[in-house]
Amino acid sequence: MSSEDQFADRLVLEGLAITTNDDGSPNVSPMGPLVDRALTTFLLKPFTTSQTFRNVQRGSGCVFNVTDDVVLLAQTAVGALPTLPRLESTPSGKGWYLADGCRWFELQIERLDLKEPRVDIYASVADKGTLRDFFGWNRAKHAVLEAAILATRVHILPSQEIREQLDRLTIWVDKTGGRQERDAIDFLQQYFRHELPPE
Ligand SMILES: Cc1cc2nc3c(=O)[nH]c(=O)nc-3n(C[C@H](O)[C@H](O)[C@H](O)COP(=O)(O)O)c2cc1C
């Protein structure tokens, strides 16, 4: 495949970006960078309001993690991690990856295109690792991912639309999910109950 084709076939990869906060602690956030299929280049598009952006702008390392852990995805989407997941330092010592994740990519930030409301962060892969297999396709996991995205848009989308989508997504979790997927959707439902105005 020529490099031109490679760039023409970009797609989004949903995962968790781990950066370093000002105080040295890790920040774990869901992000959906544009990638090429060979996963050699990443284009992160964080909102300027995100901690991920602030950390990268300050020069923090950034490790992108592929995981099928939907509880972690749900909790980090709304900034409500009860405890940090198990993290390992990358060999470079410049960042962390999820010890129980599937794959990780330590990103070398090449260029920031500062624009509102989302910044373009161009990155290449400095190092990477594979830890375990991805579980596989599952409608419940996909439904939690969609519900987690809804949770990050709770102050933008109409409440009625969120409720309707959540009802549909919950059916998929009930039909095809296991304990982890049900725990994740229960957690998000609680979040929506708290954040949405009463019906
Ligand atoms: C699957 C998924 C993908 C997301 N992708 C992005 C993204 O590409 N850019 C972004 O700014 N926010 C994205 N979000 C929302 C952020 O994760 C959310 O706003 C989070 O609170 C930001 O955390 P931070 O402030 O610690 O960086 C995504 C959320 C989910 C659930």
Side-chain angles (χ1 to χ4, degrees):
M1 187 186 279
S2 75
S3 62
E4 209 169 73
D5 291 343
Q6 198 181 49
F7 282 102
D9 191 24
R10 286 202 160 216
L11 70 168
V12 169
L13 176 64
E14 310 287 8
L16 298 176
I18 304 183
T19 53
T20 307
N21 294 318
D22 215 3
D23 63 2
S25 61
N27 185 68
V28 187
S29 299
M31 287 285 149
L34 272 174
V35 297
D36 60 295
R37 283 199 192 263
L39 297 177
T40 58
T41 56
F42 284 61
L43 172 53
L44 289 147
K45 298 174 88 68
F47 282 96
T48 47
T49 49
S50 68
Q51 188 62 34
T52 300
F53 164 63
R54 282 193 292 272
N55 288 344
V56 170
Q57 192 184 32
R58 231 191 29 257
S60 144
C62 181
V63 180
F64 187 80
N65 296 263
V66 175
T67 180
D68 46 24
D69 183 338
V70 287
V71 172
L72 189 56
L73 183 84
Q75 290 172 340
T76 51
V78 298
L81 261 186
T83 51
L84 272 176
R86 281 199 319 122
L87 301 176
E88 297 280 354
S89 189
T90 57
S92 74
K94 291 182 189 161
W96 294 280
Y97 61 85
L98 293 175
D100 301 313
C102 301
R103 282 183 295 167
W104 57 268
F105 300 85
E106 184 164 39
L107 302 181
Q108 167 76 42
I109 307 299
E110 306 286 353
R111 185 162 66 86
L112 270 71
D113 187 356
L114 296 172
K115 50 183 193 176
E116 294 284 351
R118 291 173 86 163
V119 180
D120 281 346
I121 301 177
Y122 294 87
S124 56
V125 175
D127 197 4
K128 61 182 177 178
T130 299
L131 303 163
R132 65 175 175 85
D133 288 341
F134 188 80
F135 176 78
W137 285 350
N138 174 293
R139 293 181 88 184
K141 284 191 186 293
H142 174 239
V144 173
L145 184 127
E146 290 296 334
I149 291 176
L150 275 184
T152 68
R153 298 187 180 164
V154 78
H155 303 298
I156 305 168
L157 295 174
S159 311
Q160 188 54 27
E161 188 183 322
I162 292 183
R163 287 200 171 91
E164 283 167 14
Q165 287 204 40
L166 191 62
D167 285 349
R168 273 199 300 278
L169 295 169
T170 303
I171 293 172
W172 292 359
V173 174
D174 290 344
K175 280 189 175 165
T176 70
R179 190 178 305 144
Q180 197 192 77
E181 291 70 31
R182 279 192 291 274
D183 285 350
I185 205 82
D186 284 353
F187 167 83
L188 288 171
Q189 279 169 340
Q190 266 183 39
Y191 176 80
F192 285 116
R193 269 197 292 280
H194 189 259
E195 295 296 319
L196 291 177
E199 277 182 277

